[in-house]
Amino acid sequence: MAMSILKLRNSPALRSVSNSARIGVSSRGFSKLSEGTDITSAATGVSLQKARSWDEGVSSNFSTTPLKDIFKGKKVVIFGLPGAYTGVCSQQHVPSYKSHIDKFKSKGIDSVVCVSVNDPYVINGWAEKIGAKDAIEFYGDFDGKFHKSLGLDKDLSAALLGPRSERWSAYVEDGKVKAVNVEEAPSDFKVSGAEVILGQI
C-alpha cells in the first residue's frame, strides 16, 4: 500500500499498550480494547468468517464463527491488518508471525489468528499464496463490524481501500486482553509484529 498516503493520520503519537494504559485510536478518543477487556463482550453478537474457498462456503451454508469459539478457554495471539494482498501485510506482518510460530507454541499459545476487513474467500486465496495457512488461522471481517466494535476501524479511502482497520496485535487469555499494540499509521510496522507480542506473553 502507498506509504505516503497511509502515513496520513489524525493521532500524533505511536500507541503501544501492554498490561496497563488504554489505547488512543484515531480522533475518536479511546479504543474499547484495553488490558482486562473481554473481547467477546466488547464485540457482542459479532462473528468472523473463517478463510475458505467459495465451494467450502456454499457447503457450510455460509457459516460464521462466534468470537467465543475463537477465544474462550484459550490463549490466543491475534493481529489485524488493513488488507489482503497489500504490501506491508504480505511482506512483513504475516511473515513475522509465520516465522515465529514455534516460539508461540512453546509459550503455550493455542492459536495465532490473523483478521482483516476482507471476505473469507479473498483471505483464503491470499493465505494460500503466501504459504501461511497451515501456521496461522485466517478470518475475514467482511463487513468491518469486528473492528468497528473494538474502535479499530480506519477509513483508507485515500488509498482506494475504503473502510478497513488499523494495524494492530493483541494477546488474549480466555477472552481477556492482556496486551495490545496499535501502529501509528497502517503503513507502519513497528509494534504489531510477532517479536513485540512474544515479549508480552
Side-chain angles (χ1 to χ4, degrees):
M1 61 187 70
M3 296 290 286
S4 59
I5 295 176
L6 296 185
K7 283 287 184 181
L8 296 174
R9 185 172 180 78
N10 294 326
S11 179
L14 181 70
R15 294 173 303 279
S16 176
V17 175
S18 174
N19 302 323
S20 56
R22 300 185 73 182
I23 311 170
V25 177
S26 190
S27 60
R28 290 184 296 279
F30 294 102
S31 167
K32 296 178 182 177
L33 202 62
S34 60
E35 188 248 339
T37 298
D38 187 321
I39 198 167
T40 61
S41 297
T44 303
V46 174
S47 296
L48 295 175
Q49 310 86 45
K50 195 170 183 65
R52 58 200 165 195
S53 68
W54 176 259
D55 288 343
E56 290 170 330
V58 172
S59 65
S60 70
N61 199 29
F62 303 108
S63 64
T64 60
T65 305
L67 295 183
K68 63 180 179 59
D69 290 355
I70 299 173
F71 296 106
K72 287 301 183 181
K74 302 175 184 177
K75 293 181 178 180
V76 178
V77 168
I78 182 171
F79 63 102
L81 41 82
Y85 294 101
T86 55
V88 176
C89 305
S90 300
Q91 297 165 16
Q92 294 178 275
H93 208 174
V94 171
S96 78
Y97 285 88
K98 179 185 175 184
S99 64
H100 287 85
I101 197 67
D102 289 340
K103 293 181 180 179
F104 284 114
K105 298 302 181 184
S106 71
K107 284 180 172 282
I109 298 301
D110 294 299
S111 58
V112 174
V113 173
C114 174
V115 61
S116 176
V117 183
N118 288 106
D119 65 68
Y121 320 113
V122 166
I123 288 285
N124 186 67
W126 178 56
E128 291 181 345
K129 180 179 176 63
I130 59 180
K133 196 175 178 184
D134 290 338
I136 299 167
E137 293 182 16
F138 287 83
Y139 287 88
D141 178 23
F142 82 96
D143 55 5
K145 285 183 179 178
F146 176 68
H147 284 94
K148 188 172 292 184
S149 295
L150 301 178
L152 292 170
D153 53 313
K154 179 73 175 176
D155 184 358
L156 296 179
S157 295
L160 307 181
L161 292 171
R164 295 286 177 153
S165 76
E166 303 282 359
R167 186 180 305 283
W168 61 282
S169 65
Y171 169 46
V172 184
E173 286 187 11
D174 191 28
K176 296 293 180 65
V177 176
K178 299 295 183 180
V180 187
N181 308 288
V182 183
E183 299 288 356
E184 181 180 3
S187 56
D188 285 349
F189 184 64
K190 299 174 182 177
V191 300
S192 62
E195 297 86 351
V196 173
I197 204 77
L198 273 167
Q200 297 170 323
I201 298 170

